[in-house]
């Protein structure tokens, strides 16, 4: 008896967040960096470098690592922490005053 073809199988209602190849690659890279013996700052720099050409990639990778199937992965927490640091470092700072430029008296 053969296994059913993918088209014969019932569709699933759950779809992992960030299913694109970039988020998968960044998530895997973050997991790999979590095992690295390099200092935290160097791991962060490597992750930021890899994510630079992919807007939203860090957030998508973070979501991907939060998926239920990743719950038992040993270095998941370290990788999530690294991604959170990268997202914080990647966010442009808001100027004092909320970005509103004040002018002197007219």
């Amino acid at each position: 008896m053969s296994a059913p073809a993918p088209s014969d199988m019932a569709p699933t209602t759950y779809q992992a967040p960030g299913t694109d190849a970039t988020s998968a690659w960044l998530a895997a890279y973050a997991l790999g960096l979590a095992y690295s013996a390099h200092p935290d700052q160097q791991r962060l720099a490597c992750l930021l470098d890899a994510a630079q050409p992919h807007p939203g990639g860090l957030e998508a990778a973070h979501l991907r690592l939060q998926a239920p199937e990743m719950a038992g992965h040993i270095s998941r927490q370290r990788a999530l922490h690294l991604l959170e640091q990268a997202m914080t470092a990647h966010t442009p700072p808001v100027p004092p005053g909320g970005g509103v430029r004040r002018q002197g008296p007219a």
Side-chain angles (χ1 to χ4, degrees):
M1 183 170 202
S2 63
S7 60
D8 296 338
M9 297 170 59
T12 60
T13 56
Y14 173 76
Q15 189 148 77
T19 55
D20 63 281
T22 299
S23 69
W25 186 86
L26 284 171
Y29 190 56
L31 284 169
L33 286 171
Y35 284 106
S36 171
H38 294 295
D40 288 347
Q41 284 304 108
Q42 188 174 359
R43 286 187 275 179
L44 179 60
C46 288
L47 185 57
L48 285 170
D49 228 19
Q52 187 171 4
H54 309 287
L58 293 170
E59 291 82 2
H62 192 270
L63 285 173
R64 185 177 275 280
L65 286 179
Q66 290 177 326
E69 63 268 13
M70 291 300 299
H73 201 285
I74 294 170
S75 63
R76 174 184 174 221
Q77 284 305 115
R78 289 171 49 192
L80 283 169
H81 180 69
L82 183 60
L83 282 164
E84 289 163 5
Q85 286 180 309
M87 287 187 295
T88 301
H90 191 259
T91 305
V94 176
V100 176
R101 188 173 181 186
R102 297 182 184 180
Q103 295 181 0

